[in-house]
Amino acid sequence: MKIIEKEDKNYPKKLLKIKNPPQKIYIEGNKNLLNKEIIAIVGSRMATEYGKKCAKLFASELSKQGFTIISGLAVGIDTIAHIYSMEEVGKTIAVLGSGFNNIYPEENYYLYKKILENNGCVITEYPPETQKSKENFPKRNRIISGLSVGVLLVEARYGSGGAITAKHALKQGKNLFCIPNRIDEKTGYNTNLLIKQGANLVTCPQDIVDVYMENIEENQKLTQKIEKNKEKNTQKAEEEQQQQNQHKNQKLKQQQNQQLNQEQNTIKYQEIYKYIGELPISMNELIKLTKKPITEISEALCILEIEGLIKNLPGNKYIRIMKKFSIN
Amino acid sequence: MLSTVKTMALRGLEGFLIDVQVDVSAGMPSWDIVGLPDTSVKEAKERIKIAIKNSGYELFSRKIVINLAPANIKKEGSIYDLPMAIGILKSIDIIYTKQTQDILMIGELSLNGNLNPINGALPICIEAKKQGIKKIIMPKQNVKEASIIDGIEILGAYDLSEVVHYLNNDIKITPNHITWEECLENGEKYSLDFSEVKGQENVKRAVEVAAAGGHNCLLIGSPGSGKTMIAKRIPSILPDLSFEEALEITKIHSIAGTLKEDVPIIINRPFRSPHHTISSASLVGGGKSPKPGEISLAHNGVLFLDELPEFNQHTLEVLRGPLEDGIVTISRINGSLTYPCNFMFVASMNPCPCGYYGSSEKECTCSMQEITKYMGKISGPLLDRIDIQIEVTPVKYRKLENEEPVETSQQIKQRVNKAREIQRARYKEEKIYSNSSLTPSLIKKYCKLDKESKNILEIAFNKLGLSARAYGRILKVARTIADLEASEQIQKSHIAEAIGYRNLDKKYWKN
């Protein structure tokens, strides 16, 4: 763990610009990430399937495009944002609302470890022994928005934590992106409200990428230059890269195999699969639509679920999930 | 003069022959009952005295001593009224034949001399037959339940004087006997039927599988989704009762006193659904001299616990042993008794405290923690014994109106019967009757998987996060599904369907 004080020259400059920057920040992991192009992905703890799907899409796509993703290690959207930004190495930052010795929520302790393993970064303004408390969580939201260049709000109820982060973002003059939601969903009330008030409506990751295109390119050029210099100096690096490439190839092959398998199953169960869409559908409705015996349907649903093509929701309903971002 | 009459004491389902020895002699008028009588037996004095008087016989003031031998067995209840009265009447020579010694008598007297019905007539008859008794006199109201036993003369009497006249050979009482077939013909059929359940195809299928393999099952759903309606109809698809099974059930119900007068023998599988305020003693059985509890009353039938998390946790934990063993042994100060309790366990619950988690009609207002806490009320070991978990979703009005033909219980039952026959034949040498009682070693022997199914199971475990304890259950249920299709080998589709019945495992109980 490292401690950076406000007077330190390593203190992230972006944080100095906000209204009440923390006196000290406690950092674990890769502290270089704090100065990268950071996008915050925040949202409801009780996210709907739609929200989770969007968070997945944006987290994995934006991290691929070179952004670093920051979020609050809470359950729901935050967790998804962390998990899918970790598809790339060293692209995720978590901001805690408690000390390092009291990770909250407890079930995300594992995720916290994984972020560090993944060369990510976890920061907090609280000393390690600080317990969780109601006041601290809204406060840490100002850090989340402060460190980022833009905030993506996925799903937020009225007056929720996500809404607070959005408020901070506006005060700090950051870009606010909102994903539109159905008007009868409570979880999407605040995002829709913000869009109405003038926030940027985004429908795909590219919308965000376009805004920051230039910055990212410059950044990447810089890093490429540095890397080139390094490569010239050391041959070892090349060998390592070759090994990495081999690993990647193997992984790719495995993925291809899986995809093949998936495709075969999809064809076999196509008749049933085609009825399962973006809106949850119950097993009994499927029986009625397909007019197939129940045994066949339950078999198909199980196999499709195992393959990660559909998901079983509470209430015995099924929903199609995007193939590319199949289950964790 | 001394006289002896035979009667019987019951301890649990076990019967002991009792000699009622009566001595009536001249001397200071007094009345003593010895031989470990309970208060309820001692109270008989007044009843007998007045019943004899009101039956038209004179009982002069004498010294009466009654001994209930053997004196080391505790006697309780009102069944000794009749034998004691007959003993006295014999001692004072109102009954003058000697044949009383071969006849077993049970019955309670009322003050006007009438015989009142008693509990446990059927087990007494069965035990009496075992001990070589040929004739048994009992209250008329109990005759119906007892007359199913052949090889023993069941004589029903209306009042005390009828018994006296019979013993003095003044009148004849014709012995009653009915056969099992007659019972089946006259008996009331189970009145609920699955054809009344519209929609819910997936739940019906799950229940069919559960019935075919004797698996315990848990129904989860929001209020009004039809959990109770479905559970109540499960007995209608369970295989028909055999005579021996019916006798076992009737015996227990006879002891508990839950038999109806017009129903001689129980021909339908019992369905017991105690309220969730039940105590553990009334669930498994108890009392000073233990009486059968709900689980024994559900023997060979269904025990349905509605709103499972509302039950006292301690109460639920006592189910663990009986669920596994099929018998329950209750130890009390008066000795320990064993009752059978081989039942199918069906439970229902809401998915969360407010009841609407996952419902499409109403929004759930519970936090994730509340839901986890609610689910946590049911312990792992108990869940361990539940093979099938199924979610029930409410049926839409449109579907209720629908006039499409729905399968009747009889149709489902035929499939269930077939599957059970296959199982019975397969486990002939293993001393088990259904897939639900397979032990881990037997699972290995009878639930072999081909490569493809193994593969599916493995992927499912890794991807869906199923717990290790789910493994055996999936195999058992898959075996039953294969039996329903009369398939020798468990196939991929069977495994896949069985995994579907464990879905809640990963969703609600993250173990």
Side-chain angles (χ1 to χ4, degrees):
Chain A
M1 189 180 70
K2 285 172 210 133
I3 305 172
I4 301 182
E5 305 217 6
K6 206 169 151 190
E7 292 77 25
D8 236 314
K9 62 173 181 182
N10 286 335
Y11 193 86
K13 298 203 172 57
K14 271 179 269 176
L15 274 188
L16 285 174
K17 285 179 194 160
I18 68 173
K19 205 177 161 193
N20 47 347
Q23 278 301 324
K24 286 177 187 173
I25 44 176
Y26 299 78
I27 304 181
E28 275 197 40
N30 180 4
K31 68 174 190 297
N32 296 336
L33 289 182
L34 299 178
N35 296 317
K36 292 267 163 68
E37 286 283 309
I38 302 172
I39 294 282
I41 298 184
V42 292
S44 177
R45 273 171 299 168
M46 298 195 46
T48 61
E49 280 309 309
Y50 167 73
K52 285 182 191 166
K53 203 167 81 177
C54 295
K56 263 183 212 175
L57 174 69
F58 278 80
S60 77
E61 202 60 26
L62 288 175
S63 58
K64 256 181 215 130
Q65 299 273 3
F67 289 95
T68 302
I69 305 298
I70 191 169
S71 197
L73 203 77
V75 293
I77 299 291
D78 288 15
T79 303
I80 303 275
H82 287 305
I83 289 177
Y84 288 90
S85 55
M86 280 197 289
E87 283 179 356
E88 297 290 312
V89 176
K91 286 287 182 214
T92 195
I93 305 172
V95 185
L96 302 180
S98 55
F100 277 122
N101 292 349
N102 295 302
I103 302 288
Y104 180 84
E106 281 152 21
E107 62 254 43
N108 275 357
Y109 183 77
Y110 180 68
L111 180 64
Y112 156 74
K113 283 277 169 206
K114 232 176 153 185
I115 290 175
L116 294 181
E117 275 170 28
N118 194 263
N119 203 17
C121 176
V122 183
I123 65 168
T124 175
E125 58 174 314
Y126 302 104
E129 294 307 325
T130 314
Q131 295 283 346
K132 57 168 182 177
S133 86
K134 267 188 186 170
E135 302 87 53
N136 290 353
F137 288 100
K139 271 191 203 162
R140 62 105 199 257
N141 289 347
R142 77 177 197 283
I143 304 180
I144 295 180
S145 60
L147 278 173
S148 53
V149 294
V151 173
L152 172 67
L153 188 60
V154 179
E155 265 186 330
R157 283 164 194 248
Y158 186 68
S160 65
I164 294 172
T165 315
K167 232 182 244 172
H168 284 303
L170 291 176
K171 269 187 200 162
Q172 294 162 357
K174 311 278 161 128
N175 283 328
L176 179 60
F177 306 99
C178 287
I179 295 175
N181 211 321
R182 275 168 47 164
I183 56 172
D184 59 353
E185 289 275 6
K186 263 189 199 164
T187 44
Y189 181 84
N190 222 92
T191 44
N192 287 350
L193 185 71
L194 287 167
I195 290 171
K196 210 157 40 175
Q197 291 168 351
N200 294 322
L201 186 153
V202 289
T203 51
C204 62
Q206 197 57 38
D207 290 352
I208 297 178
V209 176
D210 287 344
V211 174
Y212 300 103
M213 198 51 137
E214 290 171 14
N215 293 347
I216 286 272
E217 274 175 3
E218 273 173 27
N219 251 346
Q220 274 181 344
K221 270 179 198 168
L222 264 177
T223 45
Q224 273 172 4
K225 264 187 190 172
I226 296 166
E227 274 173 14
K228 269 182 191 169
N229 284 335
K230 273 185 189 170
E231 270 176 36
K232 276 177 189 170
N233 292 338
T234 50
Q235 285 184 330
K236 271 185 188 174
E238 271 180 31
E239 282 169 21
E240 271 176 24
Q241 246 200 347
Q242 271 182 350
Q243 276 181 349
Q244 272 183 357
N245 279 341
Q246 274 180 351
H247 270 291
K248 266 187 187 170
N249 278 337
Q250 276 181 352
K251 264 194 179 173
L252 260 176
K253 265 186 189 171
Q254 276 181 0
Q255 275 179 355
Q256 275 170 350
N257 272 340
Q258 251 188 8
Q259 272 192 353
L260 256 178
N261 225 334
Q262 280 184 346
E263 268 155 27
Q264 278 172 358
N265 274 320
T266 329
I267 294 162
K268 193 171 167 198
Y269 301 115
Q270 187 61 42
E271 292 253 328
I272 295 162
Y273 184 58
K274 73 179 179 201
Y275 286 105
I276 305 171
E278 311 288 306
L279 280 176
I281 185 167
S282 81
M283 195 164 161
N284 289 335
E285 282 168 307
L286 277 176
I287 294 171
K288 218 176 167 190
L289 288 172
T290 57
K291 299 205 169 60
K292 282 182 184 298
I294 182 157
T295 45
E296 200 174 310
I297 287 180
S298 58
E299 175 197 342
L301 288 176
C302 180
I303 305 272
L304 288 172
E305 194 188 357
I306 289 172
E307 294 295 348
L309 295 166
I310 59 169
K311 191 167 184 224
N312 187 358
L313 301 180
N316 217 355
K317 292 190 199 81
Y318 292 85
I319 190 170
R320 186 183 281 213
I321 48 181
M322 265 181 266
K323 208 165 154 192
K324 202 167 172 189
F325 313 112
S326 62
I327 51 172
N328 30 21
Chain B
M1 199 183 101
L2 178 76
S3 63
T4 310
V5 180
K6 278 200 169 59
T7 187
M8 182 162 271
L10 268 188
R11 233 175 64 181
L13 290 173
E14 211 179 341
F16 298 92
L17 270 186
I18 303 287
D19 275 340
V20 180
Q21 300 161 349
V22 184
D23 184 73
V24 181
S25 56
M28 286 287 282
S30 71
W31 188 317
D32 273 315
I33 301 176
V34 296
L36 223 55
D38 190 66
T39 321
S40 56
V41 180
K42 280 184 185 157
E43 274 177 354
K45 269 184 223 171
E46 300 302 323
R47 279 200 299 271
I48 294 172
K49 222 187 272 180
I50 297 171
I52 289 179
K53 189 189 89 186
N54 286 339
S55 298
Y57 308 110
E58 186 101 17
L59 192 61
F60 298 104
S61 297
R62 317 242 182 129
K63 182 181 169 62
I64 302 172
V65 179
I66 301 175
N67 179 31
L68 305 171
N72 62 348
I73 296 171
K74 186 117 186 154
K75 288 98 187 166
E76 53 180 17
S78 51
I79 65 166
Y80 306 105
D81 287 12
L82 180 66
M84 285 196 283
I86 296 297
I88 291 167
L89 292 175
K90 210 176 148 196
S91 288
I92 57 175
D93 283 337
I94 289 172
I95 297 169
Y96 38 77
T97 52
K98 281 196 174 163
Q99 60 162 328
T100 52
Q101 271 160 11
D102 315 324
I103 306 175
L104 193 134
M105 285 178 224
I106 48 173
E108 175 187 318
L109 285 172
S110 65
L111 293 187
N112 60 2
N114 285 357
L115 285 174
N116 287 346
I118 50 140
N119 290 342
L122 180 71
I124 287 176
C125 284
I126 295 171
E127 291 293 309
K129 188 185 160 192
K130 268 191 208 162
Q131 314 219 12
I133 301 286
K134 292 276 176 292
K135 266 186 197 172
I136 180 162
I137 298 179
M138 61 172 67
K140 197 118 204 160
Q141 295 94 323
N142 289 117
V143 166
K144 266 199 171 170
E145 79 177 74
S147 54
I148 189 81
I149 310 293
D150 58 353
I152 184 166
E153 268 182 47
I154 311 286
L155 307 169
Y158 180 67
D159 61 9
L160 181 62
S161 59
E162 193 181 345
V163 181
V164 175
H165 287 307
Y166 169 75
L167 291 176
N168 284 341
N169 288 331
D170 295 340
I171 55 164
K172 281 231 155 57
I173 303 177
T174 44
N176 281 309
H177 180 69
I178 44 170
T179 59
W180 174 232
E181 285 71 28
E182 278 171 346
C183 283
L184 284 182
E185 248 170 56
N186 302 332
E188 227 175 284
K189 285 274 159 338
Y190 203 77
S191 55
L192 300 171
D193 197 283
F194 261 107
S195 58
E196 293 149 12
V197 182
K198 299 269 165 83
Q200 308 281 25
E201 288 82 3
N202 59 331
V203 189
K204 281 195 228 172
R205 166 71 184 174
V207 166
E208 179 185 330
V209 174
H215 301 287
N216 300 324
C217 64
L218 175 63
L219 307 169
I220 302 184
S222 50
S225 53
K227 305 180 291 288
T228 312
M229 188 183 187
I230 289 167
K232 276 192 176 149
R233 283 158 179 77
I234 292 178
S236 69
I237 58 165
L238 287 174
D240 285 323
L241 278 178
S242 68
F243 175 60
E244 286 73 25
E245 282 176 321
L247 214 55
E248 271 181 356
I249 300 172
T250 314
K251 242 159 73 174
I252 297 167
H253 282 253
S254 177
I255 292 170
T258 51
L259 273 187
K260 282 184 210 145
E261 214 180 277
D262 53 333
V263 182
I265 185 162
I266 295 175
I267 57 161
N268 293 313
R269 292 188 182 265
F271 178 84
R272 306 291 300 184
S273 64
H275 188 250
H276 57 72
T277 49
I278 191 174
S279 69
S280 52
S282 44
L283 190 63
V284 290
K288 206 169 77 188
S289 48
K291 286 264 177 307
E294 287 292 335
I295 58 169
S296 297
L297 293 175
H299 179 57
N300 284 336
V302 175
L303 177 73
F304 176 54
L305 300 188
D306 207 355
E307 309 299 350
L308 193 66
E310 303 299 328
F311 280 77
N312 184 336
Q313 188 150 20
H314 170 76
T315 311
L316 289 181
E317 296 313 303
V318 299
L319 281 178
R320 288 196 212 167
L323 269 174
E324 204 89 315
D325 307 334
I327 50 166
V328 57
T329 303
I330 309 150
S331 295
R332 291 292 187 273
I333 194 151
N334 289 336
S336 69
L337 298 179
T338 300
Y339 289 113
C341 60
N342 205 345
F343 57 90
M344 182 176 157
F345 179 54
V346 182
S348 83
M349 65 186 287
N350 294 141
C352 69
C354 85
Y356 292 99
Y357 181 55
S359 158
S360 44
E361 276 117 62
K362 228 171 159 184
E363 197 166 347
C364 171
T365 56
C366 310
S367 72
M368 225 46 220
Q369 272 158 336
E370 278 175 312
I371 297 172
T372 326
K373 201 176 154 196
Y374 189 72
M375 292 297 159
K377 281 188 180 176
I378 298 154
S379 73
L382 188 66
L383 268 185
D384 242 5
R385 290 162 173 85
I386 299 176
D387 295 344
I388 291 182
Q389 306 154 348
I390 183 82
E391 268 185 288
V392 189
T393 39
V395 176
K396 300 212 173 81
Y397 178 75
R398 208 159 10 104
K399 217 159 189 187
L400 291 178
E401 283 279 278
N402 193 336
E403 288 296 323
E404 271 173 38
V406 191
E407 257 190 331
T408 62
S409 290
Q410 198 57 38
Q411 285 164 307
I412 305 175
K413 194 192 217 163
Q414 276 172 2
R415 293 198 295 269
V416 171
N417 271 337
K418 262 186 208 154
R420 284 271 179 135
E421 265 164 39
I422 294 174
Q423 292 168 43
R424 231 171 282 144
R426 185 183 326 125
Y427 303 134
K428 227 186 278 163
E429 285 152 23
E430 308 287 356
K431 284 182 188 160
I432 59 170
Y433 303 103
S434 60
N435 291 329
S436 62
S437 3
L438 283 172
T439 57
S441 59
L442 291 178
I443 288 179
K444 235 181 209 169
K445 191 170 167 191
Y446 291 108
C447 306
K448 286 193 183 116
L449 297 182
D450 55 20
K451 209 176 153 199
E452 203 182 7
S453 327
K454 251 185 203 160
N455 199 15
I456 285 280
L457 199 55
E458 201 184 316
I459 299 174
F461 264 80
N462 294 337
K463 284 213 173 173
L464 304 183
L466 295 172
S467 67
R469 59 168 70 124
Y471 181 78
R473 314 231 115 57
I474 289 175
L475 287 183
K476 280 191 212 176
V477 175
R479 181 70 262 173
T480 304
I481 297 169
D483 287 340
L484 272 171
E485 284 179 13
S487 153
E488 186 100 351
Q489 189 75 31
I490 300 178
Q491 270 152 28
K492 181 179 150 198
S493 61
H494 305 145
I495 285 280
E497 195 184 337
I499 292 170
Y501 298 133
R502 298 302 293 181
N503 267 356
L504 303 184
D505 231 9
K506 57 178 207 265
K507 207 154 46 197
Y508 292 126
W509 291 280
K510 292 180 199 147
N511 43 7

